[in-house]
Tab-separated table of all heavy atoms in Angstrom:
chain	number	residue	atom	x	y	z
K	347	GLY	N	7.950	-3.487	6.179
K	347	GLY	CA	6.520	-3.271	6.141
K	347	GLY	C	5.923	-3.645	4.796
K	347	GLY	O	6.632	-3.969	3.844
K	348	ALA	N	4.609	-3.582	4.702
K	348	ALA	CA	3.909	-3.993	3.490
K	348	ALA	C	3.054	-2.855	2.966
K	348	ALA	O	2.629	-1.971	3.704
K	348	ALA	CB	3.048	-5.221	3.765
K	349	THR	N	2.790	-2.879	1.661
K	349	THR	CA	1.938	-1.900	1.015
K	349	THR	C	1.183	-2.581	-0.118
K	349	THR	O	1.718	-3.480	-0.775
K	349	THR	CB	2.745	-0.721	0.463
K	349	THR	OG1	1.903	0.076	-0.396
K	349	THR	CG2	3.939	-1.186	-0.359
K	350	ASP	N	-0.042	-2.126	-0.386
K	350	ASP	CA	-0.770	-2.702	-1.505
K	350	ASP	C	-0.251	-2.192	-2.849
K	350	ASP	O	-0.756	-2.588	-3.905
K	350	ASP	CB	-2.279	-2.510	-1.376
K	350	ASP	CG	-2.727	-1.062	-1.217
K	350	ASP	OD1	-1.861	-0.173	-1.184
K	350	ASP	OD2	-3.943	-0.822	-1.102
K	351	ALA	N	0.778	-1.356	-2.829
K	351	ALA	CA	1.504	-1.062	-4.067
K	351	ALA	C	2.139	-2.333	-4.623
K	351	ALA	O	2.353	-2.448	-5.838
K	351	ALA	CB	2.570	0.004	-3.828
K	352	GLY	N	2.435	-3.291	-3.741
K	352	GLY	CA	2.938	-4.575	-4.212
K	352	GLY	C	1.945	-5.281	-5.119
K	352	GLY	O	2.336	-5.942	-6.093
K	353	ASP	N	0.661	-5.118	-4.844
K	353	ASP	CA	-0.366	-5.725	-5.689
K	353	ASP	C	-0.391	-5.067	-7.068
K	353	ASP	O	-0.530	-5.750	-8.089
K	353	ASP	CB	-1.731	-5.601	-5.005
K	353	ASP	CG	-1.762	-6.305	-3.657
K	353	ASP	OD1	-1.006	-5.889	-2.760
K	353	ASP	OD2	-2.513	-7.270	-3.497
K	354	ILE	N	-0.240	-3.740	-7.096
K	354	ILE	CA	-0.151	-3.048	-8.380
K	354	ILE	C	1.044	-3.555	-9.177
K	354	ILE	O	0.962	-3.792	-10.384
K	354	ILE	CB	-0.041	-1.523	-8.178
K	354	ILE	CG1	-1.217	-0.987	-7.377
K	354	ILE	CG2	0.081	-0.814	-9.529
K	354	ILE	CD1	-2.526	-0.990	-8.091
K	355	SER	N	2.171	-3.754	-8.495
K	355	SER	CA	3.387	-4.173	-9.190
K	355	SER	C	3.313	-5.605	-9.706
K	355	SER	O	4.181	-6.028	-10.460
K	355	SER	CB	4.592	-4.024	-8.261
K	355	SER	OG	4.614	-5.018	-7.248
K	356	SER	N	2.287	-6.345	-9.305
K	356	SER	CA	2.095	-7.703	-9.815
K	356	SER	C	1.240	-7.741	-11.074
K	356	SER	O	1.107	-8.798	-11.692
K	356	SER	CB	1.452	-8.590	-8.739
K	356	SER	OG	2.371	-8.861	-7.695
K	357	VAL	N	0.653	-6.592	-11.443
K	357	VAL	CA	-0.173	-6.553	-12.657
K	357	VAL	C	0.364	-5.579	-13.707
K	357	VAL	O	-0.097	-5.603	-14.851
K	357	VAL	CB	-1.645	-6.206	-12.341
K	357	VAL	CG1	-2.258	-7.251	-11.423
K	357	VAL	CG2	-1.778	-4.821	-11.731
K	358	MET	N	1.345	-4.729	-13.336
K	358	MET	CA	1.920	-3.790	-14.303
K	358	MET	C	3.298	-3.336	-13.826
K	358	MET	O	3.617	-3.463	-12.638
K	358	MET	CB	1.012	-2.561	-14.466
K	358	MET	CG	0.991	-1.641	-13.266
K	358	MET	SD	0.046	-0.111	-13.527
K	358	MET	CE	-1.619	-0.751	-13.604
Side-chain angles (χ1 to χ4, degrees):
T349 168
D350 56 359
D353 300 63
I354 303 290
S355 73
S356 289
V357 299
M358 71 174 69

